[in-house]
Amino acid sequence: MNFASFPYLCFLGMCILLYFTLRKSIRNIFLLLASYLFYSFFGLGFVGLMIFTTLVTFITARYCYSAQTKSAQLVYFFIGLLLDLAVFILFKYVHIIDVDILNWPAWSAQKLLIPIGISFYTFKTLGYCIDVYKRKYAPESSLVYYALSVSFFPQLIAGPIEKSHVIIQQLKQNSNFSTANFKEGGKLILWGFFKKIVIADTIALIINPVYSDIAKYGGLDLILVSIAFIFQVYADFSGYSDIAIGSAKCLGIELPYNFNKPFLSKNFSQFWVRWHATLSAWLREYIYVPLGGNRTSKFRWFFNLFFVFTLIGLWHGATYNYMAWALSAYMWVLMDILTKKFRIKLALKLHLKKRGHIIKIISYVSVVLMVAGIGVFFRADTLQQSFYVFEKMFCFGPSKLGLVNCLLILTCLAVLEFLQKFQAKPKGHCFELIKNTYVRISTYVVIIFAILVVSSRPDITFQYFQF
């Protein structure tokens, strides 16, 4: 079921209606079954795998918490952790396992061993086990509440990653339908639809043919396409996040924001924190800080960063491209740290104001170009193709992309950035800063019209569904 589609809106509408109509005692059972039904559209076997992971972590966490000795706690903790990780590694990275040795039938491997969203719900269950082991909170006594916190359909496929106990607390307190929540959630869903269908899919339809025949295009074309791609991913993934947050809001559940206008960051390090914020927060809490973070020697600090970025690459996939992308990002973060004092002194010497327009423009352009550069590794099919794109960028010639396509890309980028100017909060709907009621309503009308105009195009899968 495509998240940005009319069938999904019908599914969501029925869930909202029935959830608040049913008795409180069976609401969450209904929502759990609805979440499993939603996930079953992507593969019935995926539901069974998620149920297995849910049961393992639920049971081992409870035994871990109630164990009387430290050694017993460790045993139950590691059983849950290792089984959870084993399922994740086996199903996520099957392509690097020698199927000939394991004698798996080739006809079933690709279909059954790539569960959609496994990275997201595995990180959630791992975090739950770790938090219970560290006694941050007691394990949930109700299997229904815990299973629903894992499978809650708005954030199941691609986040945002929220802790189970936070969702469970909200589910237990959730009682009456809120018109304010429904209106706010509807605005977020509308904004997410616009970013996904109008912006991201329009850019994708232009740049996908370029990567199918790179040799045909010149350097300027490839530079524009590389920049356009990172905005496509941003509009696509942040659009999904807005739909997810809006859907949960309609059901009375608050999910954290995932994006905070990342291209307006002061530097690449800040960009990384403001892009896919819940993944960054998870890695910081459960990996980076336990390793020592930056409160250690400089060498150890840089190693901790290297380890985290290596995990980010592997989380996206065990390919050379994802590793090159993640390690390139690590190098930019490292460069940002090492040149910080120099950049401050240079700005003072040139009499540039810290929050001045010139600094903002330089920061914006540099962040966009750095992200676009490493984005080539993310988009290209192979490492060889990535280097070929970089090589072709310096081969200037007549544009083969066409004036209309170039203008369409630039228009999409301009519209996206312009509309975000009216978004005050990372999780707020896009138009809260438009104070004139008539202008705000007119903007909604134009956006709805734009969505309807382009909705007849073929569906393009969300970029992060593959993870």
Side-chain angles (χ1 to χ4, degrees):
M1 183 186 295
N2 190 342
F3 218 49
S5 66
F6 181 71
Y8 172 74
L9 289 180
C10 293
F11 176 82
L12 176 63
M14 289 298 296
C15 286
I16 296 170
L17 178 63
L18 292 173
Y19 179 74
F20 288 106
T21 303
L22 293 169
R23 296 196 311 273
K24 293 180 182 179
S25 59
I26 61 172
R27 278 183 185 177
N28 293 307
I29 296 175
F30 160 75
L31 198 54
L32 175 62
L33 295 176
S35 296
Y36 286 152
L37 175 63
F38 174 79
Y39 198 39
S40 70
F41 283 105
F42 301 97
L44 194 58
F46 298 166
V47 178
L49 184 65
M50 183 170 60
I51 291 174
F52 173 78
T53 299
T54 301
L55 288 173
V56 165
T57 51
F58 176 77
I59 294 169
T60 55
R62 285 179 62 81
Y63 275 105
C64 173
Y65 193 81
S66 61
Q68 299 300 314
T69 63
K70 190 67 176 178
S71 58
Q73 291 172 9
L74 278 171
V75 168
Y76 288 119
F77 170 67
F78 278 114
I79 289 175
L81 203 70
L82 293 175
L83 284 175
D84 201 3
L85 280 173
V87 171
F88 172 68
I89 293 171
L90 177 64
F91 285 79
K92 175 84 172 178
Y93 305 111
V94 63
H95 56 283
I96 63 172
I97 299 174
D98 191 340
V99 294
D100 293 328
I101 292 177
L102 296 178
N103 198 29
W104 286 339
W107 60 268
S108 64
Q110 289 302 313
K111 187 173 181 180
L112 296 179
L113 298 178
I114 313 175
I116 291 175
I118 189 173
S119 301
F120 292 93
Y121 72 74
T122 298
F123 270 32
K124 176 176 291 193
T125 52
L126 286 174
Y128 174 79
C129 289
I130 295 170
D131 286 344
V132 170
Y133 170 72
K134 291 184 175 180
R135 297 299 197 269
K136 288 187 177 180
Y137 52 82
E140 174 55 40
S141 59
S142 169
L143 178 59
V144 172
Y145 276 116
Y146 175 66
L148 180 53
S149 74
V150 174
S151 63
F152 186 49
F153 72 87
Q155 49 85 72
L156 173 60
I157 304 300
I161 304 170
E162 180 58 289
K163 290 188 174 184
S164 286
H165 83 278
V166 175
I167 294 181
I168 290 170
Q169 286 176 354
Q170 294 186 68
L171 288 169
K172 289 181 177 180
Q173 295 169 2
N174 204 3
S175 56
N176 299 321
F177 174 79
S178 168
T179 304
N181 283 345
F182 185 76
K183 287 172 63 178
E184 184 68 19
K187 292 171 183 176
L188 281 169
I189 293 171
L190 178 64
W191 178 222
F193 265 63
F194 178 81
K195 285 198 284 187
K196 163 59 180 170
I197 297 175
V198 179
I199 302 295
D201 289 0
T202 298
I203 295 174
L205 289 170
I206 296 173
I207 70 176
N208 285 348
V210 175
Y211 271 89
S212 299
D213 189 10
I214 296 172
K216 177 182 174 182
Y217 297 91
L220 292 175
D221 289 336
L222 293 175
I223 290 171
L224 179 59
V225 163
S226 298
I227 293 173
F229 172 69
I230 62 171
F231 281 93
Q232 177 209 331
V233 176
Y234 170 64
D236 185 283
F237 195 12
S238 67
Y240 173 94
S241 295
D242 286 332
I243 297 171
I245 294 168
S247 300
K249 185 84 172 179
C250 291
L251 288 162
I253 305 298
E254 288 282 350
L255 294 179
Y257 72 85
N258 229 359
F259 294 87
N260 184 12
K261 301 177 185 177
F263 295 113
L264 297 180
S265 302
K266 294 184 295 184
N267 49 57
F268 191 84
S269 297
Q270 190 182 78
F271 166 86
W272 202 258
V273 174
R274 294 166 70 165
W275 175 284
H276 203 173
T278 56
L279 175 62
S280 298
W282 194 97
L283 290 168
R284 183 169 56 251
E285 179 176 353
Y286 295 107
I287 305 295
Y288 181 65
V289 172
L291 285 174
N294 60 355
R295 297 182 178 183
T296 181
S297 66
K298 187 167 287 188
F299 175 80
R300 179 60 185 269
W301 177 23
F302 293 164
F303 172 78
N304 292 343
L305 285 170
F306 172 79
F307 185 76
V308 169
F309 274 93
T310 301
L311 288 181
I312 290 172
L314 289 172
W315 180 84
H316 283 84
T319 68
Y320 291 120
N321 274 58
Y322 288 133
M323 292 307 302
W325 166 75
L327 294 179
S328 298
Y330 165 73
M331 293 304 296
W332 281 126
V333 170
L334 200 61
M335 187 70 68
D336 185 53
I337 294 170
L338 295 173
T339 62
K340 183 177 181 179
K341 292 182 179 179
F342 169 77
R343 286 182 284 110
I344 293 173
K345 289 180 180 179
L346 182 62
L348 290 173
K349 190 173 183 179
L350 296 174
H351 304 289
L352 298 175
K353 295 181 180 179
K354 189 175 181 181
R355 299 181 183 276
H357 294 299
I358 295 177
I359 288 291
K360 288 181 179 179
I361 292 171
I362 292 172
S363 298
Y364 180 82
V365 172
S366 59
V367 166
V368 167
L369 291 179
M370 284 188 285
V371 179
I374 67 173
V376 172
F377 292 114
F378 200 95
R379 176 59 182 82
D381 296 326
T382 63
L383 198 59
Q384 183 180 6
Q385 190 184 59
S386 302
F387 291 127
Y388 183 60
V389 170
F390 287 125
E391 181 184 339
K392 287 282 291 180
M393 282 182 179
F394 297 96
C395 300
F396 298 104
S399 175
K400 300 292 185 181
L401 200 57
L403 180 61
V404 173
N405 285 334
C406 291
L407 290 175
L408 196 54
I409 287 175
L410 294 174
T411 300
C412 287
L413 270 54
V415 168
L416 177 63
E417 291 289 53
F418 175 73
L419 289 177
Q420 286 188 135
K421 289 285 185 181
F422 304 106
Q423 188 172 8
K425 299 176 293 183
K427 201 167 61 176
H429 66 88
C430 183
F431 319 117
E432 59 199 317
L433 293 183
I434 301 178
K435 301 304 180 183
N436 188 295
T437 303
Y438 297 106
V439 174
R440 188 167 60 251
I441 293 174
S442 298
T443 306
Y444 283 124
V445 172
V446 171
I447 281 186
I448 292 171
F449 178 75
I451 293 172
L452 293 175
V453 167
V454 302
S455 60
S456 60
R457 296 183 308 196
D459 291 336
I460 296 178
T461 304
F462 278 96
Q463 190 73 33
Y464 266 70
F465 269 15
Q466 59 186 305
F467 306 121

